[in-house]
Amino acid sequence: MLLGVTGGIAAYKSAELVRRLRDAGAQVRVVMTAGATKFVTPLTFQAVSGHRVYGPDIFISESDDGMDHIHLARWADAVVVAPASANFIARLSMGMADDLLASICLATTATVAAAPAMNKEMWSAAATMDNVAKLRARGVHIVGPDAGDQACGEQGLGRMREVNRLVEDIARLFGADGALAGKRVLITAGPTREPIDPVRFISNRSSGKMGVAMAIAAAAEGADVTVVSGPLRVTVPPYIANVAVETAEQMWQAVAERLGETDIFIAAAAVADFRADSVATDKVAKADLGGALKLVPTTDILAAVCKAKPRPFVIGFAAETRDIESRGKEKLDRKGADVMIANPVGQAGTGFDADDNQATMLWHGGRKEFPRARKDELAKQLMSVISERYHAAKNSA
Ligand code: PMT
């Protein structure tokens, strides 16, 4: 995502916006206008984006051919200008190419969104209203502004949309024509914790990274996503609904309550297979622990969802240390899922609590290999095939 920052006091909020967009899985490059650099330094955006920041001068180019504006325009999947000042909106509406950001907006074929921020009188001025109407008519998405206290001491319409809401709007906007637009996706993520007594529990090494990456990838395809998660070591972006649970039973209840409104169910959680038969109210003494611990199986959530009527399109993950594909196939058949994603675990660097993963996707009559990649990248590839399989199943039903 290319983030354009223009001159306005709200520019300081855009540093937080970069962080939230990155949390949501976006790669962000920042281009600042001359006005923006009066409010926030490029170094701030360099630090939060992890990339060099581009300034206003179109004639200072990093690329050998001197055409940063074209390369950046082609690189971006989406261009968001936040804050968008009255001056920038006017330049954009006239098709000016008098600085790098305006030139990129003119040269890109990606979707462009602008989050205006200015004094309320500047916003409601006839010139600004005409400019905004022109931009809307050309397909530029105008997000906000919001009403409230303004930096100038006035009250009214002109505040830049709050960062969390802006991220939600951006996610919706850019997923609006995605392959899963309008579909509801329910995903389990992370481990469960099965208590033994007030201080001990049975759990596993799942961090939730894979499940949350799947959720972000589904939202990027336009889906309305809910994650039911055990204790996570990653953040769920604000535009994805998150139901936090602890035990397998709570996870099953949260899933069962939402099944009627789910089109696609993805079981990425590492649900504990067993729980203590009874949970001690007092801490069990070490000497008594071995004898006291009787285990009973938890509900197999994936298998239970597959038996529900009507049931969503169901995807499971199979975590295996050997015979990955044959064991994955056995789970696909035994649990009754539509797709099983078999992933190797127990190797350093991939699987549980790692940033990378690799997988073999299996379905009845087909398979596809996904080589090792970062979980966010892999999730995008997996979601794309899941979406194909889902639509193929719908069309043949
Ligand atoms: O969370 P990370 O650190 O990113 O790691 C990701 C992961 C390795 C946990 C993930 O990619 C993964 O493989 N998740 C499934 C782990 C697992 O429990 O696999 P399994 O083979 O034991 O179970 C098969 C399927 O049944 C899974 O979809 C699981 O969610 C589901 N299941 C299992 C038991 C149970 N009681 N209920 C279930 O729904």
Side-chain angles (χ1 to χ4, degrees), residues 188-191 204-211 233 248 265 267-273 298-303 315-320 331 335 340-341 343-345 351-354 357 375:
T188 63
N204 58 64
R205 292 172 188 277
S206 169
S207 61
K209 286 178 191 171
M210 194 68 231
R233 285 202 283 283
F265 173 71
V271 185
D273 289 313
T298 55
T299 302
D300 187 324
I301 300 170
L302 176 63
I315 296 96
F317 273 77
E320 308 295 345
K331 281 183 185 163
K335 302 208 184 203
M340 188 62 71
I341 299 167
N343 50 184
V345 293
F352 279 85
D353 198 20
N357 206 3
K375 282 179 178 167

Side-chain angles (χ1 to χ4, degrees), residues 264-283:
I264 300 176
F265 173 71
I266 302 176
V271 185
D273 289 313
F274 289 91
R275 62 177 173 81
D277 187 22
S278 65
V279 180
T281 44
D282 290 318
K283 184 181 170 194

Side-chain angles (χ1 to χ4, degrees), residues 95-117:
M96 304 281 284
D98 54 349
D99 72 1
L100 183 61
L101 181 58
S103 306
I104 290 168
C105 290
L106 208 55
T108 192
T109 54
T111 307
V112 178

